[in-house]
């Protein structure tokens, strides 16, 4: 009896000791340092999870930046943030210039907290006594204010006259190769509908003259839903083929690099960095999108006539979609031309072309007249 009782008592005491040991470990791991360690671990795991989901490296870098920004400002871990903290930050020291930036940051913070609630809420409550709850609530959640205004491109005739006037001035430009490069980039943007960032990255070897009917060129397109850049073929059409052939044959060789290298940029910068010039490297850097934007803006001030007086590359992309659709190109082909994944995105580019009540009214009246004439 005594032996059995002794064994039973020993077993009971061992169990109690195990529980006390676990409690001491939990208490020891609930320090501020442990909280910060877990915070860093959750950030890393969140990025790993989104990487597995297929997000690009650039998207992953930006994903947790708002969380780091706010937590660094208050010097707290995320689960100690409150809705009031977020309100004070984004209405004061962290207030950006645009509402869209606030909405983007709040969405990313909310996404990170959804991850915390799903995977770490129990551990954080057990170890640190903090309930995981997103500081983005029903009251401070940003709403879309319609800050993307309607982009109205110039008419087809206005752009035709604009490019004609611009080309007439090219021979008198002080930097003829640079002026031609800017002109060709703008015209190709309008013809092919590519983005400025896509066009600047095109290399000479990316132009495939034998693809399709008039040739095509590869661009590193914008991936859908943060999945990263994807290669796609952009279309030249006959006008773009003739223009690009003239540029490569007559003008491209006047820049300070090797125009026979397939890795050379199609549209190089006229300025070589000192490090590259000193090494006498055969490749020039590609022109930057901002340089292209400034050149197009200056040209539009000088040569564009009509109600629209300012051009930027993305407006030419809208003009490409609108004018092709108005000329009879089906919506699906416009979607392929722009490289969109979803037709709903393409429809947004056709805001000024998707409805013409005046034309429909005239067509309806003509049909009514024909019917009445047939009846009589």
């Amino acid at each position: 009896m005594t032996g059995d009782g002794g064994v039973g008592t020993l077993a009971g005491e061992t169990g109690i000791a195990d529980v006390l040991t676990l409690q001491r470990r939990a208490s020891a791991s609930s320090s501020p340092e442990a909280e910060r360690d877990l915070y860093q671990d959750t950030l890393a795991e969140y990025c790993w999870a989104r990487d597995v989901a297929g997000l690009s490296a650039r998207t992953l870098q930006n994903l947790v930046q708002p969380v780091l920004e706010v937590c660094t400002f208050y010097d707290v871990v995320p689960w100690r943030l409150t809705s009031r903290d977020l309100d004070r930050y984004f209405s004061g020291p962290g207030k950006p210039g645009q509402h869209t930036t606030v909405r983007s940051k709040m969405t990313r913070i909310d996404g990170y907290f959804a991850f915390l609630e799903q995977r770490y809420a129990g551990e954080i409550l057990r170890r640190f006594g903090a309930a995981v709850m997103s500081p983005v609530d029903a009251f401070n959640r940003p709403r879309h204010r319609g800050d993307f205004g309607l982009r109205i491109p110039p008419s087809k005739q206005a752009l035709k006259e604009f490019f004609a006037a611009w080309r007439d001035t090219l021979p008198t430009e002080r930097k003829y190769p640079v002026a031609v490069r800017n002109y060709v980039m703008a015209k190709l943007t309008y013809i092919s509908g590519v983005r400025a960032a896509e066009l600047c990255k095109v290399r000479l070897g990316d132009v495939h003259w034998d693809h399709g009917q008039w040739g095509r060129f590869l661009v590193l397109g914008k991936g859908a839903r943060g999945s990263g850049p994807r290669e796609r073929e952009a279309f030249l059409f006959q006008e773009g083929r003739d223009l690009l052939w003239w540029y490569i044959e007559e003008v491209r060789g006047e820049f300070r690099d090797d125009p026979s290298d397939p890795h050379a940029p199609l549209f190089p910068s006229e300025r070589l960095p000192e490090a590259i010039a000193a090494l006498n490297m055969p490749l020039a850097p590609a022109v930057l999108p901002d340089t292209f934007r400034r050149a197009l803006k200056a040209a539009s001030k000088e040569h564009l006539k009509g109600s629209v007086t300012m051009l930027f590359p993305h407006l030419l992309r809208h003009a490409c979609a609108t004018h092709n659709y108005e000329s009879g190109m089906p919506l699906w082909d416009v979607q392929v031309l722009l490289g969109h994944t979803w037709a709903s995105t393409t429809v947004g580019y056709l805001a000024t072309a998707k409805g013409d009540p005046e034309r429909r009214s005239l067509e309806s009246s003509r049909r009514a007249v024909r019917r009445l004439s047939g009846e009589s």
Side-chain angles (χ1 to χ4, degrees), residues 97-259:
Q98 296 184 349
H99 179 72
T100 53
T101 307
V102 175
R103 187 168 65 247
S104 175
K105 288 184 176 182
M106 296 282 266
T107 300
R108 292 172 185 174
I109 291 172
D110 203 29
Y112 169 72
F113 269 88
F115 167 82
L116 281 184
E117 292 174 13
Q118 181 74 24
R119 297 196 181 183
Y120 282 94
E123 180 178 350
I124 291 171
L125 180 62
R126 184 176 64 254
R127 292 178 60 184
F128 311 119
V132 177
M133 184 176 298
S134 175
V136 183
D137 58 24
F139 300 99
N140 62 12
R141 189 178 304 276
R143 306 297 180 189
H144 195 288
R145 293 179 178 175
D147 21 36
F148 300 107
L150 181 64
R151 292 188 174 102
I152 303 177
S155 66
K156 192 173 184 178
Q157 182 62 30
L159 279 181
K160 182 179 179 181
E161 294 173 357
F162 162 71
F163 283 116
W166 191 0
R167 181 159 185 169
D168 288 342
T169 64
L170 293 180
T172 62
E173 293 287 347
R174 185 172 63 89
K175 294 183 178 180
Y176 177 71
V178 175
V180 171
R181 178 202 67 192
N182 296 335
Y183 167 80
V184 172
M185 291 181 72
K187 193 71 179 287
L188 272 185
T189 301
Y190 174 55
I191 292 172
S192 62
V194 296
R195 300 176 180 88
E198 295 172 345
L199 189 60
C200 290
K201 294 177 182 178
V202 176
R203 302 168 300 178
L204 286 165
D206 293 330
V207 182
H208 300 279
W209 301 104
D210 55 344
H211 283 200
Q213 188 170 353
W214 293 290
R216 298 173 186 173
F217 59 100
L218 286 178
V219 297
L220 199 60
K222 179 182 176 183
R225 296 182 177 178
S227 59
R230 299 177 184 176
E231 279 193 338
R232 67 178 178 89
E233 281 191 323
F235 298 83
L236 282 172
F237 301 102
Q238 185 173 0
E239 186 179 12
R241 179 188 177 91
D242 295 341
L243 176 69
L244 194 57
W245 187 272
W246 165 71
Y247 165 75
I248 292 177
E249 288 292 311
E250 302 292 336
V251 181
R252 178 60 182 84
E254 297 189 28
F255 288 89
R256 298 167 55 190
D257 65 345
D258 183 5

Side-chain angles (χ1 to χ4, degrees), residues 287-340:
V287 65
L288 297 176
D290 283 343
T291 303
F292 172 38
R293 292 187 184 97
R294 287 194 297 268
L296 179 58
K297 182 179 180 180
S300 64
K301 286 183 178 180
E302 186 174 352
H303 305 298
L304 185 62
K305 310 299 180 185
S307 56
V308 181
T309 58
M310 189 71 67
L311 280 179
F312 46 92
H314 210 72
L315 191 59
L316 287 178
R317 181 169 161 86
H318 278 257
C320 170
T322 300
H323 297 164
N324 277 290
Y325 184 73
E326 289 175 340
S327 299
M329 182 180 287
L331 177 62
W332 163 250
D333 291 333
V334 177
Q335 178 184 346
V336 173
L337 177 63
L338 298 185
H340 287 155

